[in-house]
Amino acid sequence: MVTPEHGPVRVVLVDDHEMVIEGLKAMLAAFRSRVRVVGQAVGADSAMSVIVGLTPDVVLCDVRMQGSSGLDLCRAVRERDPERKVVLLSVYEDEQYLFQAMRAGASGYLLKRIGGEELVAQIERAHAGDTVIDPGMAARAVDTAARLERDEYWPGARHGLTQRESEILSFMVSGLSNRAIAARLVIGDETVKSHLRSIYRKLEVGDRTNAVATALREGIFQ
């Protein structure tokens, strides 16, 4: 256990489900001497004003939310105050999300199934300057990182793209329309659009043209 030197760690909770926030508050209430929830925000879009107003030690937020994501919020928080700690909490056991979280400047990536005692300990560690990662995910991430170094993954994996997203991006580079991609992969148009939104977010672009340009510039596809 990391004991705070100046009282309990001050935490702001961010999630797009108020029920989740209330559940976390109830869980952390048993550890008031170590962690104190000083504020909360429903959704990333409203979180920044809460964080700026309360200046917490640690921001604990969901990865995927409607509107801006936890990754977007993490980047914004770290750009405004590089010393502010952000720990991402998620149901997704996907090391690509973990890699994105680390690139965004997060101090940790934990799974929502974590128990109260362990969550408090990890918040304290993050506050003390450690990087906290779910142990199971950390082990898989080490293996994934090694395989990436050996180029054993698909194009775009280094940018966080899934295998399907890489496939769709290759079709985009080839000039196929959304409808043509859907027909080629035997999936719906809306599914293609969902993948495109994820591709844009991971490549940090706003449209198809810039996604293709980035793919070519970064050498994802020739």
Side-chain angles (χ1 to χ4, degrees):
M1 181 184 76
V2 179
T3 304
E5 297 180 1
H6 305 290
V9 182
R10 303 172 71 255
V11 177
V12 162
L13 304 176
V14 183
D15 198 287
D16 59 353
H17 294 94
E18 192 167 356
M19 183 183 302
V20 173
I21 292 175
E22 294 303 320
L24 287 170
K25 286 171 62 178
M27 178 186 292
L28 297 175
F31 305 91
R32 288 189 181 89
S33 63
R34 297 165 61 188
V35 171
R36 182 160 63 94
V37 177
V38 297
Q40 63 191 65
V42 178
D45 293 336
S46 61
M48 185 57 79
S49 60
V50 174
I51 294 166
V52 170
L54 296 173
T55 61
D57 300 312
V58 176
V59 177
L60 186 64
C61 70
D62 193 6
V63 172
R64 293 187 63 177
M65 294 180 280
Q66 294 181 356
S68 297
S69 71
L71 295 168
D72 294 331
L73 177 63
C74 180
R75 294 187 192 95
V77 169
R78 297 283 293 169
E79 286 175 3
R80 185 180 182 92
D81 184 356
E83 297 303 313
R84 184 87 57 226
K85 311 300 183 185
V86 179
V87 175
L88 295 170
L89 197 60
S90 178
V91 298
Y92 297 100
E93 298 184 57
D94 184 339
E95 56 264 36
Q96 298 303 336
Y97 277 116
L98 169 58
F99 292 152
Q100 290 180 66
M102 295 301 100
R103 287 199 294 269
S107 294
Y109 188 101
L110 303 173
L111 300 178
K112 286 188 175 180
R113 66 179 180 224
I114 192 170
E117 177 71 38
E118 181 63 17
L119 178 58
V120 169
Q122 299 289 42
I123 290 173
E124 290 173 332
R125 287 184 57 207
H127 177 43
D130 292 343
T131 299
V132 296
I133 300 172
D134 174 82
M137 290 196 65
R140 290 200 304 275
V142 170
D143 178 66
T144 298
R147 294 181 68 182
L148 284 170
E149 286 302 313
R150 298 194 298 267
D151 290 326
E152 293 182 6
Y153 271 88
W154 50 88
R158 292 176 181 274
H159 294 76
L161 299 182
T162 65
Q163 193 166 6
R164 175 49 60 91
E165 289 166 354
S166 175
E167 191 174 18
I168 289 175
L169 182 58
S170 72
F171 288 140
M172 292 165 60
V173 171
S174 298
L176 270 64
S177 66
N178 287 5
R179 181 167 294 182
I181 292 173
R184 184 74 65 89
L185 297 177
V186 196
I187 58 178
D189 289 351
E190 289 303 317
T191 301
V192 173
K193 291 178 182 178
S194 177
H195 284 304
L196 290 181
R197 289 192 292 269
S198 181
I199 291 169
Y200 296 163
R201 175 172 55 78
K202 291 175 180 179
L203 297 183
E204 298 183 347
V205 299
D207 55 37
R208 175 186 291 262
T209 300
N210 283 305
V212 170
T214 298
L216 295 173
R217 183 177 66 250
E218 297 292 329
I220 299 175
F221 294 105
Q222 301 301 322

